[in-house]
Amino acid sequence: MIFKKLTIQNIRSYENLTIEFPRGSVLLAGDIGSGKTSILLGLQFALFGLQPGQKGMSILRQGADNAYACLEIDVDGETIVLERTIKKANNGSISQDSNVITIGKSREELSTSEMKDRVITLLNYPKEFIKKSN
């Protein structure tokens, strides 16, 4: 898997950020509080969604009602786009809203668990990771 591009909106300290990853290794460097962990959480959210036990407030930007992550990756020469959103309900609870995967020209909306299963399969992770919380 090769990361190509990450777009996040209302994820922690970022209102709107797009990163186009160069080929090769990438180093995130910066002062404490500069947003390195926010980028990593955006990548994790795009790939796997909210993790069991993870509260939506831990990634939703303060004052925002929704968040979005879109990750474009290359797997074995094929471009795959993963899109996820979370939203805040009127009662203040936060939940995942949509999960969309695009492989080539095929775009499909999936449930949260279906999306996680599909990503784990595409990345050729061991099947036991499907049931793990992290």
Side-chain angles (χ1 to χ4, degrees):
M1 171 184 59
I2 298 171
F3 291 148
K4 295 172 81 176
K5 183 162 92 171
L6 173 68
T7 299
I8 54 176
Q9 296 170 346
N10 295 325
I11 300 283
R12 290 179 45 127
S13 59
Y14 292 103
E15 187 173 357
N16 194 356
L17 174 72
T18 297
I19 299 171
E20 293 195 30
F21 294 97
R23 294 219 20 106
S25 299
V26 173
L27 171 69
L28 297 177
D31 291 336
I32 294 172
S34 63
K36 303 176 298 293
T37 300
S38 297
I39 292 168
L40 294 175
L41 287 172
L43 286 167
Q44 178 189 15
F45 175 61
L47 283 166
F48 304 112
L50 290 176
Q51 298 303 295
Q54 181 183 26
K55 297 188 186 302
M57 285 302 283
S58 69
I59 64 169
L60 183 64
R61 181 179 169 84
Q62 190 171 12
D65 292 328
N66 55 58
Y68 170 78
C70 177
L71 179 61
E72 185 177 323
I73 58 176
D74 182 295
V75 177
D76 298 327
E78 185 161 41
T79 298
I80 299 170
V81 179
L82 308 169
E83 297 175 84
R84 294 184 188 263
T85 62
I86 56 174
K87 69 176 180 177
K88 184 189 290 187
N90 290 337
N91 67 3
S93 67
I94 297 171
S95 61
Q96 286 193 214
D97 188 33
S98 70
N99 306 280
V100 177
I101 185 168
T102 304
I103 302 173
K105 294 184 186 219
S106 175
R107 181 178 168 91
E108 189 175 3
E109 187 160 349
L110 303 171
S111 72
T112 300
S113 60
E114 290 171 330
M115 182 84 151
K116 183 177 180 181
D117 293 352
R118 182 77 60 89
V119 169
I120 286 173
T121 300
L122 284 169
L123 299 182
N124 209 19
Y125 276 26
K127 298 293 182 206
E128 60 266 17
F129 284 145
I130 292 173
K131 296 184 177 154
K132 300 246 181 205
S133 61
N134 289 319

